[in-house]
Structures are given as structure tokens and as C-alpha cells.
Amino acid sequence: MSGRELTLLADGRVELLGRILTGSNATFLAEVTCGDDSAWAVYKPEAGERPLIDFDPGLYRRERAAYLLSEALGWGIVPPTVVRTDAPLGVGSLQWFIEGDLEEHYFTLHANAPETHHALAQIALFDYVANNTDRKSGHVLRGSDGHVWGIDHGLCFSAAFKLRTVIWDFAGDPIPDALLADIGPLATALPDGVAALLDGAEVAALQRRVRRIMQEGVLPTDHTGMRYPWPLV
């Protein structure tokens, strides 16, 4: 994607079009307009978050951190995401809306689109690094251009290991050297933008996960059979 997306998200006027009812937190479809340019975006205000015992308020920060991590790795997994303090319902994340076939998700892509398997395995590695607790099948999208995206990263980066995902089909597969090289620098330092959105314990835990996965060299395996989100889609 080009800088147009970030410009619209960061500077555009935000108008709510309607609420997206599939999530547990308040999520809205919005239109962002800057001059003659406009597009859709997904807005998640802090004011619409349900209280959680294991995550502090401000999940929008984790949405932004996931985008910055994806960009720092050069993987392009997370759609452009910004934090807006001036949005209609207050501070929250604003993410570029991905247009595509809504009938496609992780399960259908894995079963019917083998050309996406590399991207899906890459998302599995990303989720381990980010400690994603909520990778449902519907949180994997294929855009109209064929690009595979991951969305909904508000429940990531916990200091306690909480990985829950439906992407276990690649468990135990060797991680390509190129991807190991990409994540290697995270073992000693995170990009400033990511670290600024997390606390010290979360930063240290991410670095430990990276060191462990680099030592093992294979995608993680669920030995408990219980590391799944609900619902699955």
C-alpha cells in the first residue's frame, strides 16, 4: 500500500457509517475523507471496550503496535492502522478497510488456496511473536488483489504466554531462514514505535519468545490441544 492510506487515516475527517456487530467490543465502519479523496476504515474506540481482567484498557494501542511490528518486519500482514484522538467517540484505532470476499477466511484459504499457504504460515509466526490470543479464522482476509491480511490484534502482546489461534496446520514446519533473519533483531531490541506502546514486561516477553523460536527453528506446536479462540470463525 502507498502513503495515501496513512494520510487518509491520520488526517481525514471521520464519519461513522454503522456499527460492525461481529465483535465483542464496539467496532464501527467509518468513512475517512481528505479533500476529494475518501475510503472506508474500521474504528475501534477505547470507550467501546469491555473491561478485561488480563488486558488493561486501551486495546487500540495494541492494534497500532501490531501494525508497526508488521511494517518493521517488512511482512505487510496488518492493514495500515493509526491512533486517532479526535474521532467521533474519542481515542481509538483507525484501520484501513480491506475489500475482498467475506466468504473467504483462514479455513477456506487453507483448504482451497494452496498459493496462500506461505502467507498463512507467516501469520502463524507473527502471532507467536506478538502473542496473539484471538486469531480466529475470520481474522484472516484475502483482499481483492489476492493479498492475505491479518486483522483484530487488540488482544496481543501480553507478558503472559496466551497464544490462541486456529492456525495450527503448519505446526512443527521449519521456519524459512529469511523469516528467521527478519525477526532476529527483535531478540535484542524492538522498534521504538512498538516498544512505546507496550510496558517493560511485555517487551521482555516478546524478546524471550523470539529467542526461543529462533533456537527451535520451527513453527510452534500446541501440545495441550486447547490453544484455540472461541468462536473459531
Side-chain angles (χ1 to χ4, degrees):
M1 288 189 166
S2 67
R4 165 183 174 253
E5 291 81 5
L6 287 175
T7 297
L8 269 172
L9 292 172
D11 301 329
R13 179 174 57 86
V14 182
E15 178 183 358
L16 301 187
L17 300 180
R19 184 166 177 178
I20 299 172
L21 299 176
T22 54
S24 57
N25 295 321
T27 303
F28 298 88
L29 180 65
E31 184 174 39
V32 288
T33 304
C34 192
D36 295 329
D37 199 5
S38 65
W40 285 357
V42 176
Y43 169 48
K44 296 183 178 181
E46 181 180 15
E49 296 174 6
R50 293 185 180 183
L52 298 170
I53 62 173
D54 51 350
F55 284 93
D56 291 335
L59 302 182
Y60 66 89
R61 298 186 191 95
R62 300 173 189 275
E63 297 275 5
R64 170 68 173 170
Y67 166 68
L68 293 176
L69 179 61
S70 169
E71 289 300 290
L73 292 170
W75 291 0
I77 288 172
V78 183
T81 308
V82 304
V83 171
R84 290 287 295 264
T85 60
D86 59 344
L89 298 177
V91 63
S93 62
L94 196 64
Q95 184 172 90
W96 192 258
F97 180 83
I98 299 301
E99 297 186 20
D101 184 351
L102 296 181
E103 296 299 316
E104 289 190 309
H105 48 83
Y106 171 72
F107 292 139
T108 65
L109 292 175
H110 182 263
N112 304 320
E115 70 276 10
T116 66
H117 284 190
H118 173 78
L120 298 175
Q122 190 175 40
I123 292 175
L125 178 57
F126 181 85
D127 285 344
Y128 176 85
V129 171
N131 198 16
N132 192 349
T133 77
D134 194 35
R135 177 64 72 197
K136 297 179 175 70
S137 184
H139 294 174
V140 176
L141 308 176
R142 181 157 64 169
S144 55
D145 62 354
H147 188 85
V148 178
W149 300 93
I151 61 169
D152 280 345
H153 296 97
L155 300 181
C156 287
F157 302 110
S158 172
F161 189 61
K162 294 176 178 289
L163 181 66
R164 290 194 296 269
T165 175
V166 297
I167 307 180
W168 292 111
D169 299 279
F170 308 98
D173 287 1
I175 300 171
D177 290 342
L179 296 186
L180 290 175
D182 288 342
I183 67 172
L186 301 177
T188 54
L190 300 192
D192 290 343
V194 177
L197 293 164
L198 308 177
D199 65 32
E202 291 167 341
V203 170
L206 190 155
Q207 292 174 322
R208 287 195 299 271
R209 291 192 299 275
V210 170
R211 289 194 290 269
R212 179 174 179 178
I213 201 75
M214 289 190 68
Q215 182 178 25
E216 294 177 349
V218 297
L219 288 170
T221 299
D222 175 19
H223 297 290
T224 71
M226 299 178 65
R227 291 194 174 278
Y228 287 84
W230 188 259
L232 297 178
V233 182

